């Protein structure tokens, strides 16, 4: 099996019958008859499942690690008892703690702020 990332799309070619059946059962990828390839969005769930099936290429594995770091940072922020804003949000009244958490998680998820702390070092961030 050969795989490639094209933006956020994962492309698989030369997939054998057993692998095709397993991957198709996940309902995360579509078969393109004309190009004879499987295409799907390279989200963390798909990449984790695929990593359990075959060895990922270095670029796909790097994308998987990056998605995992962001997810871990969002989960860490979700359970933060005393959140501090990552940015001076343009609101007139002070935000409640759950609002600060939500705004911080959105910044992390959209890649506008790199994950911090023990999750990832800033120099490793490519977002």
């Amino acid at each position: 099996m050969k795989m490639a990332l094209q933006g956020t799309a994962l492309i698989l070619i030369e997939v054998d019958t057993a692998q095709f059946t397993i991957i198709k059962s996940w309902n995360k990828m579509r078969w393109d008859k004309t190009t004879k390839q499987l295409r799907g969005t390279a989200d963390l769930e798909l990449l984790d499942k695929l990593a359990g099936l075959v060895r990922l290429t270095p670029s796909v594995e790097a994308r998987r690690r990056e998605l995992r770091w962001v997810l871990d940072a969002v989960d860490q922020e979700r359970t933060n008892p005393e959140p501090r804003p990552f940015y001076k949000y343009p609101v007139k009244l002070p935000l409640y703690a759950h609002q600060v958490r939500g705004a911080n998680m959105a910044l992390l998820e959209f890649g506008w702020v790199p994950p911090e702390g023990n999750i990832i070092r800033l120099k490793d961030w490519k977002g």
Side-chain angles (χ1 to χ4, degrees):
M1 171 188 320
K2 295 180 182 177
M3 65 182 71
L5 272 176
Q6 194 175 59
T8 59
L10 180 66
I11 301 169
L12 303 177
I13 59 172
E14 299 177 12
V15 182
D16 68 23
T17 309
Q19 292 171 337
F20 180 84
T21 305
I22 293 169
I23 293 170
K24 196 70 173 147
S25 72
W26 300 335
N27 291 325
K28 301 288 275 174
M29 301 189 86
R30 293 185 158 229
W31 176 250
D32 185 358
K33 293 179 192 176
T34 57
T35 58
K36 296 187 179 180
Q37 55 186 227
L38 283 165
R39 293 180 142 271
T41 303
D43 61 359
L44 186 59
E45 181 183 2
L46 175 61
L47 296 180
D48 281 344
K49 286 182 176 186
L50 199 57
L53 186 62
V54 296
R55 188 166 188 224
L56 301 178
T57 62
S59 63
V60 175
E61 180 61 34
R63 174 74 177 151
R64 180 175 170 238
R65 273 196 320 269
E66 181 181 316
L67 291 172
R68 174 66 59 197
W69 285 331
V70 170
L71 179 67
D72 290 346
V74 168
D75 287 343
Q76 185 179 13
E77 185 63 27
R78 180 178 291 120
T79 59
N80 187 356
E82 296 178 17
R84 290 179 298 136
F86 293 160
Y87 178 77
K88 185 176 180 333
Y89 298 112
V91 294
K92 293 182 181 181
L93 298 175
L95 296 174
Y96 292 104
H98 71 279
Q99 292 170 321
V100 172
R101 269 189 226 101
N104 288 348
M105 289 188 306
L107 290 177
L108 288 166
E109 194 66 42
F110 289 122
W112 295 337
V113 172
E116 295 180 17
N118 58 6
I119 300 297
I120 185 174
R121 293 183 306 274
L122 190 57
K123 67 178 184 169
D124 294 336
W125 176 248
K126 296 179 180 91

